[in-house]
Amino acid sequence: GQQLNQSPQSMFIQEGEDVSMNCTSSSIFNTWLWYKQDPGEGPVLLIALYKAGELTSNGRLTAQFGITRKDSFLNISASIPSDVGIYFCAGTYAGNNRKLIWGLGTSLAVNP
Amino acid sequence: DAGVTQSPTHLIKTRGQQVTLRCSPKSGHDTVSWYQQALGQGPQFIFQYYEEEERQRGNFPDRFSGHQFPNYSSELNVNALLLGDSALYLCASSPAGGIQETQYFGPGTRLLVL
């Protein structure tokens, strides 16, 4: 079945640094979503993207829907300790009946 | 405005038993999806309910069944539990008339099967 390739798998950065992670697919996607999950909690929706080329910000977070519709990236600027967690990309593509397909997550650690 | 709520938060069962998990969607949402998340993995789609009917289903056996009530709340039932069913079970809701892909998650129910 369809898989999302999310990278990097993990990151360890210093507080104040910028972070970038991305997701790629083999199919053209209609929707890209970025979630953050803290240990023992459900994923929290950060940013939703619905159109190719769309660039959306949510505070220090910025995400873009790739022009080819096969990729998306998430940037975090000036990271802080509470950014620690696992970031997931998810999306839907034509033909999978709008079911969300998920990446395997990027684990982010921030050193204060 | 309450978000998605799930109960119980934690549950311990033994192999062969049956379990029922509950979910109340966010206010104004009418679609509920259930996911299974194993440790270190992304969520895996189980099924989705809309208008009290199962609308979509992922690759899960018939031991996994569900129900949606007129107030849009939902239950996930798992029969004949296996050790491999141990996971975090997540419920997500989507807004009525909105974009169904935009799903909001509850905190999950952590199930341990011994």
Side-chain angles (χ1 to χ4, degrees):
Chain A
Q2 175 62 234
Q3 296 285 334
L4 284 184
N5 297 309
Q6 185 171 351
S7 64
Q9 184 176 1
S10 62
M11 303 181 73
F12 186 86
I13 62 171
Q14 294 295 121
E15 183 177 358
E17 289 184 353
D18 297 344
V19 172
S20 184
M21 59 191 78
N22 70 85
C23 248
T24 60
S25 67
S26 57
S27 299
I28 291 175
F29 269 48
N30 298 324
T31 307
W32 285 100
L33 306 172
W34 286 93
Y35 288 87
K36 177 176 183 276
Q37 186 173 27
D38 292 327
E41 301 290 329
V44 174
L45 181 63
L46 300 174
I47 295 178
L49 304 163
Y50 305 109
K51 294 188 297 187
E54 181 179 355
L55 184 71
T56 298
S57 292
N58 177 7
R60 294 178 295 104
L61 278 62
T62 302
Q64 185 162 29
F65 194 137
I67 292 293
T68 65
R69 296 175 64 189
K70 292 184 176 182
D71 63 340
S72 176
F73 72 76
L74 174 71
N75 287 340
I76 305 172
S77 63
S79 58
I80 59 178
S82 62
D83 291 334
V84 166
I86 301 178
Y87 292 79
F88 287 98
C89 63
T92 63
Y93 63 95
N96 83 325
N97 218 11
R98 300 164 82 184
K99 288 182 289 190
L100 276 181
I101 306 298
W102 292 74
L104 293 181
T106 294
S107 178
L108 178 63
V110 179
N111 190 28
Chain B
D1 174 27
V4 180
T5 60
Q6 291 185 243
S7 64
T9 56
H10 296 81
L11 205 52
I12 300 176
K13 292 285 188 178
T14 57
R15 281 179 296 175
Q17 284 190 312
Q18 178 265 345
V19 68
T20 298
L21 311 181
R22 296 176 177 81
C23 171
S24 291
K26 191 174 166 65
S27 177
H29 289 193
D30 63 355
T31 301
V32 173
S33 302
W34 286 92
Y35 293 82
Q36 180 193 67
Q37 186 178 25
L39 207 59
Q41 302 292 319
Q44 297 294 313
F45 176 74
I46 303 175
F47 43 52
Q48 183 180 81
Y49 277 84
Y50 172 71
E51 293 189 341
E52 301 180 50
E53 292 192 357
E54 183 182 294
R55 183 162 67 174
Q56 297 183 65
R57 190 177 183 93
N59 294 325
F60 280 81
D62 291 344
R63 299 187 297 110
F64 289 77
S65 64
H67 188 77
Q68 186 178 34
F69 299 93
N71 67 352
Y72 308 121
S73 66
S74 177
E75 288 182 350
L76 163 66
N77 299 294
V78 186
N79 294 323
L81 284 167
L82 304 174
L83 295 180
D85 294 332
S86 296
L88 180 68
Y89 288 85
L90 295 163
C91 168
S93 69
S94 309
I99 298 175
Q100 295 297 303
E101 294 87 346
T102 308
Q103 299 183 8
Y104 296 82
F105 284 80
T109 294
R110 185 158 297 281
L111 172 66
L112 177 61
V113 182
L114 300 176

